[in-house]
Amino acid sequence: MVSDRWQAFRGIISAIITPMQADESVNYTALETLAHAQLARGVEGFYCCGSSGEGPLLRFDERRQVLATLVNAVAGKVPVISHVGTPRTLDAVALAKSAEQDGASAVSLVPPYYYKYSREEIIAYYRRVLDAISIPVILYNIPQFTGVELDSLSAEALLGDEQVLGVKHTSHNLYSLERMIARYPDKVFFNGFDEIFLSSLAAGATATVGTTVNLQPELFLALRSAFQQGDISRAQRLQQQINEVVEALVARGVFQSAKYLAGKGMVDTGPIREPFVALTATQRAELDALHQRLQGYIADARR
């Protein structure tokens, strides 16, 4: 059972994209519009400057302003989590301190990457951030990008800390997820791969942070409700619909595609930053067709 202390974080959380102008400058007005629209659709929190938000491609001042924009837009209605991970410890500490000052509900960070660090060095990196701030910290496990698998053993030195809220588990290793949940049932474990949301719920996850929550929050909300009610057949059908969207995005570039569709019919979210390659006209047309199909799924999920 998740501790009452962390209940606000047990939700369907959008890994919100970062809109940009044609010159790749951040479009903060469009970001505020997106946040208001997603709140109206039932999104229960925001995770900014992660993979979906092009965090590693943003300057530190941009990351800070993205967070400030979201905090202002949300006005305390839902948690706003800021990803502050960087390869350099002192930069992560500085970003975490700024996030606390700017009103983040919590910070999250990947382990230091590029060099092959020891377990002791990774733990020390997190400890430096924990010691520098007073708000909760979420460990971010995404081994496909960092080359580091955070499991129950390697996380044990950190999950026992009261300031550590839990883990964002962006890994298909559901055994590892379940083992962490079993050892630390009072923490919050966030599913990070949209395509296994139902499976992660079965493993004991109590929240999700997803790229395609930007596009289809209604499906995630309906899936969670069906799972909680024991309607596994409906939950499976909703997961299949979510996965149809995921599959289409991955085939064309998941971050480019999610960014293109996130503001569809509402606001221009602009280009993705280089070195990512822009969508072709053909790909955009294919995604337009997917968007039309998705509207039917959303209508069904609302029933």
Side-chain angles (χ1 to χ4, degrees):
M1 183 68 179
V2 178
S3 168
D4 287 341
R5 183 183 178 194
W6 307 130
Q7 285 301 313
F9 295 91
R10 187 180 68 176
I12 306 300
I13 297 173
S14 171
I16 193 163
I17 62 100
T18 302
M20 292 178 189
Q21 309 281 5
D23 62 358
E24 292 193 1
S25 61
V26 178
N27 187 338
Y28 298 105
T29 301
L31 177 63
E32 187 172 4
T33 299
L34 278 182
H36 288 150
Q38 291 187 19
L39 278 174
R41 294 174 67 183
V43 164
E44 297 169 335
F46 293 100
Y47 186 104
C48 67
C49 301
S51 305
S52 305
E54 300 169 68
L57 300 179
L58 299 177
R59 299 191 312 267
F60 291 170
D61 63 303
E62 291 173 324
R63 289 170 74 164
R64 185 168 185 176
Q65 187 57 43
V66 164
L67 170 64
T69 300
L70 287 171
V71 169
N72 181 68
V74 164
K77 296 182 183 72
V78 298
V80 179
I81 302 163
S82 180
H83 176 254
V84 299
T86 68
R88 182 172 179 259
T89 300
L90 291 181
D91 289 336
V93 167
L95 280 171
K97 286 181 175 180
S98 296
E100 182 170 24
Q101 293 168 9
D102 295 337
S105 308
V107 298
S108 176
L109 58 164
V110 293
Y113 50 89
Y114 185 78
Y115 295 108
K116 189 174 179 61
Y117 295 105
S118 69
R119 180 179 297 176
E120 291 74 18
E121 288 166 331
I122 291 169
I123 290 170
Y125 168 85
Y126 279 108
R127 283 283 174 211
R128 291 279 279 116
V129 172
L130 285 161
D131 290 344
I133 60 175
S134 60
I135 59 175
V137 173
I138 300 166
L139 312 179
Y140 187 176
N141 184 38
I142 183 165
Q144 66 174 4
F145 287 169
T146 64
V148 176
E149 178 73 47
L150 188 68
D151 57 21
S152 59
L153 294 177
S154 59
E156 192 160 357
L158 296 166
L159 281 171
D161 191 306
E162 290 186 359
Q163 193 181 347
V164 174
L165 191 160
V167 177
K168 181 179 184 286
H169 187 70
T170 307
S171 168
H172 289 112
N173 189 340
L174 293 175
Y175 171 73
S176 176
L177 174 64
E178 186 278 331
R179 290 291 81 200
M180 285 191 286
I181 292 168
R183 285 181 171 88
Y184 299 96
D186 60 325
K187 302 293 185 178
V188 181
F189 290 87
F190 303 80
N191 171 61
F193 274 137
D194 296 353
E195 62 269 26
I196 56 170
F197 180 40
L198 176 56
S199 301
S200 75
L201 290 176
T206 52
T208 198
V209 176
T211 301
T212 71
V213 175
N214 282 277
L215 321 177
Q216 50 187 359
E218 296 86 355
L219 273 67
F220 286 88
L221 291 160
L223 190 160
R224 182 185 63 186
S225 177
F227 177 80
Q228 291 172 341
Q229 294 171 20
D231 190 347
I232 301 304
S233 177
R234 174 170 166 76
Q236 288 174 327
R237 184 169 68 256
L238 286 159
Q239 184 68 72
Q240 289 167 358
Q241 292 171 342
I242 289 170
N243 288 359
E244 182 180 331
V245 173
V246 170
E247 185 176 42
L249 267 57
V250 169
R252 294 159 182 83
V254 64
F255 300 123
Q256 298 96 315
S257 300
K259 188 169 193 175
Y260 174 71
L261 290 176
K264 192 70 179 172
M266 175 179 47
V267 65
D268 184 1
T269 52
I272 195 163
R273 277 194 175 168
E274 294 185 64
F276 280 117
V277 177
L279 295 166
T280 66
T282 298
Q283 289 172 326
R284 289 195 298 272
E286 292 167 345
L287 291 169
D288 290 342
L290 173 67
H291 176 74
Q292 290 299 317
R293 191 160 63 253
L294 179 56
Q295 301 319 297
Y297 294 161
I298 289 171
D300 288 343
R302 285 173 169 162
R303 293 194 182 102

